[in-house]
Protein backbone atom coordinates (compact mmCIF):
# COMPACT_ATOMS: atom_id res chain seq x y z
CA UNK A 1 0.00 0.00 0.00
CA UNK A 2 2.78 2.41 0.89
CA UNK A 3 4.47 1.76 -2.44
CA UNK A 4 1.20 2.33 -4.32
CA UNK A 5 0.53 5.52 -2.38
CA UNK A 6 4.07 6.72 -3.09
CA UNK A 7 3.63 6.00 -6.80
CA UNK A 8 0.31 7.83 -6.95
CA UNK A 9 1.78 10.84 -5.14
CA UNK A 10 4.72 10.90 -7.53
CA UNK A 11 2.42 10.77 -10.54
CA UNK A 12 0.35 13.62 -9.15
CA UNK A 13 3.40 15.81 -8.67
CA UNK A 14 4.63 14.92 -12.15
CA UNK A 15 1.25 15.86 -13.61
CA UNK A 16 1.25 19.16 -11.71
CA UNK A 17 4.77 19.91 -12.92
CA UNK A 18 3.75 19.17 -16.51
CA UNK A 19 0.70 21.41 -16.23
CA UNK A 20 2.80 24.21 -14.75
CA UNK A 21 5.34 23.86 -17.56
CA UNK A 22 2.59 23.99 -20.18
CA UNK A 23 1.07 27.09 -18.59
CA UNK A 24 4.47 28.82 -18.44
CA UNK A 25 5.15 27.86 -22.05
CA UNK A 26 1.78 29.22 -23.13
CA UNK A 27 2.36 32.58 -21.46
CA UNK A 28 5.94 32.73 -22.77
CA UNK A 29 4.77 32.20 -26.35
CA UNK A 30 1.82 34.56 -25.86
CA UNK A 31 4.09 37.33 -24.57
CA UNK A 32 6.43 36.86 -27.53
CA UNK A 33 3.54 36.92 -30.00
CA UNK A 34 1.95 40.00 -28.42
CA UNK A 35 5.26 41.86 -28.35
CA UNK A 36 5.83 41.10 -32.03
CA UNK A 37 2.29 42.14 -32.94
CA UNK A 38 2.50 45.43 -30.99
CA UNK A 39 6.13 46.50 -31.44
CA UNK A 40 7.74 49.63 -30.11
CA UNK A 41 7.91 52.25 -32.85
CA UNK A 42 11.22 53.49 -34.22
CA UNK A 43 12.19 57.14 -34.51
CA UNK A 44 14.50 56.60 -37.50
CA UNK A 45 12.43 54.02 -39.37
CA UNK A 46 11.42 56.61 -41.98
CA UNK A 47 15.01 57.06 -43.11
CA UNK A 48 16.36 54.91 -45.97
CA UNK A 49 19.20 52.43 -45.43
CA UNK A 50 22.74 53.75 -45.40
CA UNK A 51 25.10 53.21 -48.33
CA UNK A 52 26.48 50.63 -47.84
CA UNK A 53 23.65 49.36 -45.70
CA UNK A 54 23.64 47.42 -42.46
CA UNK A 55 21.62 44.21 -42.69
CA UNK A 56 19.61 41.87 -40.49
CA UNK A 57 20.25 38.20 -41.26
CA UNK A 58 17.78 35.57 -40.05
CA UNK A 59 18.40 31.87 -39.48
CA UNK A 60 15.97 29.31 -38.09
CA UNK A 61 16.53 30.24 -34.43
CA UNK A 62 18.99 33.13 -34.54
CA UNK A 63 19.45 36.63 -35.94
CA UNK A 64 22.67 38.44 -36.81
CA UNK A 65 23.55 42.04 -37.59
CA UNK A 66 25.69 42.31 -40.73
CA UNK A 67 28.08 45.25 -41.14
CA UNK A 68 30.65 46.07 -43.86
CA UNK A 69 34.16 44.87 -43.07
CA UNK A 70 35.81 48.03 -44.40
CA UNK A 71 33.19 50.48 -43.21
CA UNK A 72 33.39 54.24 -43.06
CA UNK A 73 32.23 54.36 -39.43
CA UNK A 74 34.69 51.69 -38.30
CA UNK A 75 37.17 49.50 -40.14
CA UNK A 76 36.71 46.06 -38.61
CA UNK A 77 39.74 44.78 -40.49
CA UNK A 78 41.89 47.08 -38.37
CA UNK A 79 39.83 46.63 -35.21
CA UNK A 80 40.21 42.83 -35.32
CA UNK A 81 43.73 42.73 -36.77
CA UNK A 82 45.32 39.42 -35.88
CA UNK A 83 41.92 37.87 -35.15
CA UNK A 84 40.46 37.67 -38.66
CA UNK A 85 42.29 36.81 -41.91
CA UNK A 86 44.04 39.66 -43.72
CA UNK A 87 43.07 38.29 -47.12
CA UNK A 88 39.31 38.86 -46.81
CA UNK A 89 38.05 40.72 -49.92
CA UNK A 90 36.82 44.28 -49.61
CA UNK A 91 33.25 43.29 -50.37
CA UNK A 92 32.96 41.31 -47.14
CA UNK A 93 30.42 41.69 -44.37
CA UNK A 94 30.81 40.55 -40.78
CA UNK A 95 27.83 38.90 -39.12
CA UNK A 96 27.60 39.73 -35.41
CA UNK A 97 25.50 37.64 -33.04
CA UNK A 98 25.54 37.60 -29.22
CA UNK A 99 24.69 34.43 -27.34
CA UNK A 100 25.63 31.44 -25.21
CA UNK A 101 29.15 30.23 -26.02
CA UNK A 102 28.21 26.55 -25.69
CA UNK A 103 25.44 26.97 -28.26
CA UNK A 104 27.96 28.53 -30.64
CA UNK A 105 30.68 25.90 -30.13
CA UNK A 106 28.87 22.65 -29.29
CA UNK A 107 25.37 22.85 -30.76
CA UNK A 108 26.07 22.83 -34.48
CA UNK A 109 23.15 20.55 -35.39
CA UNK A 110 19.73 19.99 -33.74
CA UNK A 111 20.83 16.59 -32.43
CA UNK A 112 23.69 18.32 -30.56
CA UNK A 113 21.22 20.07 -28.25
CA UNK A 114 21.32 17.82 -25.19
CA UNK A 115 19.21 18.48 -22.07
CA UNK A 116 22.31 19.38 -20.05
CA UNK A 117 23.48 21.94 -22.63
CA UNK A 118 20.03 23.48 -22.86
CA UNK A 119 19.57 23.68 -19.09
CA UNK A 120 23.01 25.17 -18.37
CA UNK A 121 22.47 27.79 -21.07
CA UNK A 122 18.99 28.75 -19.88
CA UNK A 123 20.29 28.91 -16.30
CA UNK A 124 23.01 31.35 -17.38
CA UNK A 125 25.81 29.02 -16.30
CA UNK A 126 27.93 29.34 -19.46
CA UNK A 127 30.06 32.26 -20.66
CA UNK A 128 28.49 34.41 -23.36
CA UNK A 129 30.21 35.40 -26.57
CA UNK A 130 29.94 37.48 -29.70
CA UNK A 131 30.10 35.25 -32.77
CA UNK A 132 31.62 36.98 -35.80
CA UNK A 133 31.37 35.36 -39.24
CA UNK A 134 32.79 36.82 -42.49
CA UNK A 135 30.36 36.50 -45.42
CA UNK A 136 30.59 37.63 -49.03
CA UNK A 137 28.70 40.85 -49.64
CA UNK A 138 26.75 39.31 -52.53
CA UNK A 139 25.40 36.61 -50.20
CA UNK A 140 24.40 39.15 -47.57
CA UNK A 141 22.60 41.36 -50.10
CA UNK A 142 20.71 38.40 -51.58
CA UNK A 143 19.58 36.80 -48.32
CA UNK A 144 19.49 39.47 -45.59
CA UNK A 145 17.27 42.51 -45.11
CA UNK A 146 18.72 46.05 -45.27
CA UNK A 147 18.14 48.09 -42.14
CA UNK A 148 16.74 51.59 -42.34
CA UNK A 149 17.93 54.59 -40.40
CA UNK A 150 20.87 55.80 -42.46
CA UNK A 151 24.37 56.16 -41.06
CA UNK A 152 22.98 56.79 -37.60
CA UNK A 153 21.66 53.24 -37.40
CA UNK A 154 25.04 51.80 -38.30
CA UNK A 155 26.85 54.00 -35.77
CA UNK A 156 24.58 52.89 -32.91
CA UNK A 157 24.81 49.21 -33.84
CA UNK A 158 28.60 49.44 -33.96
CA UNK A 159 28.65 51.13 -30.57
CA UNK A 160 26.42 48.39 -29.10
CA UNK A 161 28.78 45.71 -30.39
CA UNK A 162 31.89 47.43 -29.07
CA UNK A 163 30.24 48.08 -25.71
CA UNK A 164 29.30 44.45 -25.10
CA UNK A 165 32.69 42.97 -26.07
CA UNK A 166 35.04 42.17 -23.20
CA UNK A 167 38.68 43.21 -23.11
CA UNK A 168 41.52 42.12 -20.87
CA UNK A 169 43.66 44.36 -18.68
CA UNK A 170 45.75 45.30 -21.71
CA UNK A 171 42.73 46.37 -23.71
CA UNK A 172 42.78 43.33 -26.03
CA UNK A 173 39.78 41.28 -27.07
CA UNK A 174 39.47 37.80 -25.57
CA UNK A 175 38.99 35.03 -28.16
CA UNK A 176 37.12 31.86 -27.21
CA UNK A 177 38.29 28.60 -28.78
CA UNK A 178 35.94 27.18 -31.40
CA UNK A 179 36.22 24.31 -33.85
CA UNK A 180 33.91 25.96 -36.39
CA UNK A 181 35.98 26.99 -39.44
CA UNK A 182 35.91 30.66 -40.32
CA UNK A 183 34.16 31.82 -37.16
CA UNK A 184 35.57 34.13 -34.51
CA UNK A 185 34.23 34.02 -30.96
CA UNK A 186 35.02 36.86 -28.59
CA UNK A 187 34.16 36.97 -24.91
CA UNK A 188 31.23 39.28 -24.23
CA UNK A 189 29.34 40.82 -21.35
CA UNK A 190 25.93 39.77 -20.12
CA UNK A 191 24.17 36.59 -19.10
CA UNK A 192 22.06 34.32 -21.26
CA UNK A 193 18.60 33.35 -20.00
CA UNK A 194 15.09 32.61 -21.31
CA UNK A 195 14.41 36.35 -21.05
CA UNK A 196 17.76 37.49 -22.46
CA UNK A 197 18.34 35.37 -25.54
CA UNK A 198 20.49 36.02 -28.58
CA UNK A 199 17.47 37.47 -30.38
CA UNK A 200 16.61 39.68 -27.41
CA UNK A 201 20.06 41.26 -27.69
CA UNK A 202 19.59 41.89 -31.41
CA UNK A 203 16.16 43.42 -30.85
CA UNK A 204 17.57 45.65 -28.11
CA UNK A 205 20.34 46.89 -30.40
CA UNK A 206 17.85 47.65 -33.17
CA UNK A 207 15.67 49.53 -30.70
CA UNK A 208 18.56 51.68 -29.54
CA UNK A 209 19.29 52.43 -33.20
CA UNK A 210 15.77 53.81 -33.56
CA UNK A 211 14.18 50.92 -35.42
CA UNK A 212 10.91 49.11 -34.57
CA UNK A 213 11.38 46.20 -32.21
CA UNK A 214 9.50 43.87 -29.92
CA UNK A 215 9.95 44.56 -26.22
CA UNK A 216 10.20 40.80 -25.66
CA UNK A 217 11.96 39.02 -28.53
CA UNK A 218 13.11 35.51 -27.58
CA UNK A 219 12.76 34.11 -31.12
CA UNK A 220 14.13 35.03 -34.54
CA UNK A 221 10.66 35.93 -35.82
CA UNK A 222 10.25 38.22 -32.83
CA UNK A 223 13.05 40.35 -34.30
CA UNK A 224 11.94 40.27 -37.93
CA UNK A 225 8.19 40.69 -37.42
CA UNK A 226 8.28 44.41 -36.46
CA UNK A 227 10.54 45.19 -39.43
CA UNK A 228 8.32 43.18 -41.80
CA UNK A 229 5.28 45.08 -40.56
CA UNK A 230 7.07 48.36 -41.30
CA UNK A 231 7.83 47.28 -44.85
CA UNK A 232 4.27 46.07 -45.29
CA UNK A 233 2.82 49.42 -44.18
CA UNK A 234 5.04 51.28 -46.63
CA UNK A 235 4.01 49.03 -49.53
CA UNK A 236 0.33 49.47 -48.67
CA UNK A 237 0.79 53.22 -48.40
Amino acid sequence: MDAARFLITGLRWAALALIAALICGFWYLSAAWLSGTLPLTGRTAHLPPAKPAAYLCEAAFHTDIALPLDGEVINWRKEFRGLIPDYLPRDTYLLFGWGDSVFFTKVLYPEDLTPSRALTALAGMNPVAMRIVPVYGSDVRSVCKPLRGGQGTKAVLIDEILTILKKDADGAYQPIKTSVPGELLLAAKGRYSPFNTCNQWTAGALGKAGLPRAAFAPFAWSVTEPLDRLEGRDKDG
Side-chain angles (χ1 to χ4, degrees):
M1 292 295 294
D2 290 340
R5 187 181 299 109
F6 180 79
L7 177 60
I8 292 172
T9 301
L11 290 175
R12 286 176 177 173
W13 278 108
L16 289 174
L18 177 60
I19 293 171
L22 291 174
I23 292 173
C24 290
F26 171 78
W27 285 111
Y28 189 86
L29 291 171
S30 298
W33 175 82
L34 185 61
S35 295
T37 304
L38 302 172
L40 303 174
T41 58
R43 64 184 183 280
T44 63
H46 64 285
L47 298 175
K51 294 183 179 180
Y55 288 84
L56 179 70
C57 302
E58 179 186 9
F61 305 103
H62 181 76
T63 48
D64 288 302
I65 295 169
L67 295 166
L69 172 65
D70 298 313
E72 68 289 341
V73 179
I74 186 172
N75 189 310
W76 295 109
R77 193 189 301 270
K78 295 180 180 178
E79 184 72 19
F80 294 146
R81 180 163 290 163
L83 298 173
I84 60 175
D86 295 330
Y87 56 79
L88 292 173
R90 288 190 59 81
D91 188 24
T92 296
Y93 271 73
L94 295 183
L95 271 58
F96 294 88
W98 178 93
D100 181 85
S101 61
V102 171
F103 281 169
F104 287 148
T105 57
K106 303 294 185 182
V107 185
L108 307 182
Y109 303 98
E111 57 268 24
D112 296 333
L113 184 58
T114 62
S116 61
R117 288 171 179 170
L119 290 174
T120 55
L122 294 175
M125 298 172 63
N126 304 323
V128 294
M130 180 68 71
R131 183 180 64 177
I132 303 166
V133 185
V135 178
Y136 288 122
S138 57
D139 293 337
V140 169
R141 288 186 289 271
S142 64
V143 175
C144 305
K145 301 174 182 178
L147 293 171
R148 298 188 177 199
Q151 292 294 91
T153 292
K154 290 167 64 176
V156 173
L157 294 177
I158 289 168
D159 184 63
E160 285 299 298
I161 292 168
L162 294 175
T163 299
I164 206 166
L165 288 173
K166 281 186 177 181
K167 291 185 176 181
D168 60 20
D170 297 323
Y173 294 113
Q174 304 175 48
I176 296 175
K177 186 177 180 180
T178 176
S179 60
V180 183
E183 291 189 2
L184 170 66
L185 283 188
L186 297 179
K189 303 170 187 174
R191 183 178 179 183
Y192 192 92
S193 77
F195 302 99
N196 190 34
T197 65
C198 53
N199 298 304
Q200 185 69 46
W201 179 84
T202 303
L206 295 180
K208 291 181 181 179
L211 297 175
R213 63 112 173 180
F216 180 52
F219 308 110
W221 57 263
S222 303
V223 181
T224 58
E225 179 70 14
L227 300 175
D228 291 343
R229 286 177 175 272
L230 173 65
E231 296 297 330
R233 286 198 302 269
D234 286 351
K235 288 180 181 179
D236 294 340

